[in-house]
Amino acid sequence: MKSTLLTLLFAFSLIVCKAQETRPGPQLPPETGETFKVGIAGYTFARFDLDKALETLKALDVHNLCIKDFHLPMNSTDAEIAAFHEKLKAHDVTGYAVGPIYMKTQEEVDRAFDYAKRVGVKLIVGVPNVELLPYVEQKVKEYDFKFAIHLHGPDIAIYQDADDVWNHTKDLDPRMGMCLDIGHDTRNGKDPVADMEKYHSRVFDMHIKDVTGPTKLGYSLEVGRGIIDFPAMVSMIRKVGYTGVCSLEHERNMDNPFMGIAESLGYFRGVIETTKE
C-alpha cells in the first residue's frame, strides 16, 4: 500500500512538472541586433489594400513599411493620417518613409514635402526631374529631411544606377542621396555590393530584390533565385554600418505575390543569420 502511494505521488509530481513546462517560442527575427532593419516597400502591394498589406507584414514578423500614396493618398486629411497610423500601430508596424514619389514641377516637390511632414516621417524616396534638384535641396534644408532618389536601372532615362544618383547629388546637401535598388542597379550592369561600399554615406534606403540578368532584359524574381550575391551584400551592409531599412520590393506575380514575398524574406533573413560572425 505504501509503495503504491509513493508511486502515485511520483507520477503526480511528474504531471505537475510537465504542466509547468512551456513550449519554446520562435527565435527573434535574425535582423534583431543588427544596425539595419528589414521592411517592405509599399509598392509590393500595389494591387492590394492596406489591410492586406498589414496582414502580410504581421504574418511575416516585419515591422517597417515604406508608405505608398495608394495606401495613404497625398490629399489625406490629418484625421485620415491619424487613423492610418493607428492601424499600423495595431499591427506593430512603423511607416518609416514615403515614396517613391515622382516630381515634375516645383509644386509637386512642395506637395511631397508637405505630405511627408503631415505623415510624420523624415525620409522621402523620390524621383524628381533633374532640373528640380536645386529646389529639392532647398526643401531638404528647410525641412531637415533626408531625400533618397530611387534609381530605376535602364527603364527610364534618369537615375539609372548608383553612379548616376551619386553624380547628381555629391555636391548637394549631404541629406540628399539614394534609395539603392540593388535589382535595378544590377540591371544597369553595375555591382550593387561595390556601389554600397562606394556610396554608403548617401544610401538612405534600400530596395531588396533579385534579378535574372545584368541587362534591361533581366527581370525581377524571388530573392535567391537570381544573380545577386546576397551573402556579399549583407556582409557589405554590415561593413559600412548601414542604419536604414532593407525593404523588400517584390515585383513578380503582383496579382498574387504572397508566396514570393515569404520566400524572398525567408531567404534574405537566412543569409543574415548564416553570415553572422
Side-chain angles (χ1 to χ4, degrees):
M1 179 70 180
K2 186 176 180 180
S3 63
T4 302
L5 181 60
L6 289 172
T7 301
L8 289 172
L9 287 172
F10 178 72
F12 179 75
S13 67
L14 287 177
I15 293 171
V16 171
C17 288
K18 288 290 185 182
Q20 291 175 343
E21 289 182 4
T22 57
R23 298 181 68 184
Q27 296 182 4
L28 293 171
E31 65 270 20
T32 303
E34 299 283 358
T35 61
F36 60 90
K37 301 177 180 69
V38 169
I40 296 186
Y43 182 71
T44 298
F45 303 103
R47 299 175 189 174
F48 297 90
D49 62 17
L50 179 64
D51 289 334
K52 186 63 176 178
L54 293 176
E55 174 190 320
T56 304
L57 266 69
K58 185 173 183 179
L60 295 170
D61 201 10
V62 174
H63 305 280
N64 300 282
L65 176 69
C66 188
I67 301 165
K68 273 295 288 181
D69 54 2
F70 47 67
H71 286 150
L72 183 63
M74 294 181 70
N75 62 355
S76 297
T77 66
D78 290 345
E80 289 168 336
I81 291 172
F84 175 89
H85 283 304
E86 282 300 313
K87 186 172 283 190
L88 263 60
K89 184 178 179 181
H91 290 80
D92 195 19
V93 171
T94 298
Y96 72 90
V98 294
I101 302 173
Y102 291 79
M103 307 167 199
K104 296 183 179 181
T105 66
Q106 287 191 4
E107 290 75 18
E108 290 180 346
V109 174
D110 291 341
R111 188 182 183 210
F113 275 83
D114 176 68
Y115 172 64
K117 182 178 180 179
R118 292 190 302 111
V119 172
V121 298
K122 301 204 70 171
L123 173 63
I124 298 173
V125 180
V127 190
N129 283 7
V130 172
E131 67 272 14
L132 292 172
L133 287 176
Y135 187 67
V136 172
E137 183 182 30
Q138 291 180 35
K139 304 301 283 188
V140 164
K141 293 176 178 178
E142 177 185 346
Y143 283 76
D144 188 23
F145 286 176
K146 287 184 176 178
F147 192 93
I149 296 175
H150 186 284
L151 58 90
H152 275 83
D155 297 324
I156 64 175
I158 56 174
Y159 313 128
Q160 294 188 334
D161 54 42
D163 289 336
D164 195 359
V165 177
W166 172 262
N167 289 332
H168 279 102
T169 60
K170 63 183 179 180
D171 297 321
L172 300 177
D173 189 283
R175 289 164 290 192
M176 294 186 65
M178 71 184 76
C179 171
L180 179 57
D181 185 309
I182 65 175
H184 288 320
D185 201 47
T186 301
R187 291 177 61 247
N188 215 49
K190 299 303 174 72
D191 178 354
V193 178
D195 286 343
M196 185 65 176
E197 184 170 34
K198 285 189 292 184
Y199 304 131
H200 63 88
S201 64
R202 296 290 184 100
V203 177
F204 304 141
D205 194 30
M206 293 184 70
H207 281 176
I208 300 300
K209 64 184 63 162
D210 211 344
V211 293
T212 59
T215 70
K216 186 174 183 177
L217 295 178
Y219 58 88
S220 182
L221 79 171
E222 291 80 4
V223 172
R225 296 197 189 193
I227 64 170
I228 294 178
D229 185 345
F230 278 92
M233 188 77 250
V234 170
S235 295
M236 183 57 67
I237 289 169
R238 287 195 184 104
K239 177 181 176 181
V240 301
Y242 176 64
T243 59
V245 181
C246 296
S247 276
L248 176 71
E249 187 178 49
H250 188 67
E251 297 174 311
R252 186 181 190 191
N253 190 20
M254 294 187 74
D255 288 325
N256 185 17
F258 305 104
M259 294 295 287
I261 294 169
E263 178 181 336
S264 296
L265 280 171
Y267 181 88
F268 187 62
R269 281 173 155 169
V271 171
I272 293 171
E273 182 63 36
T274 57
T275 55
K276 290 180 186 293
E277 294 183 354

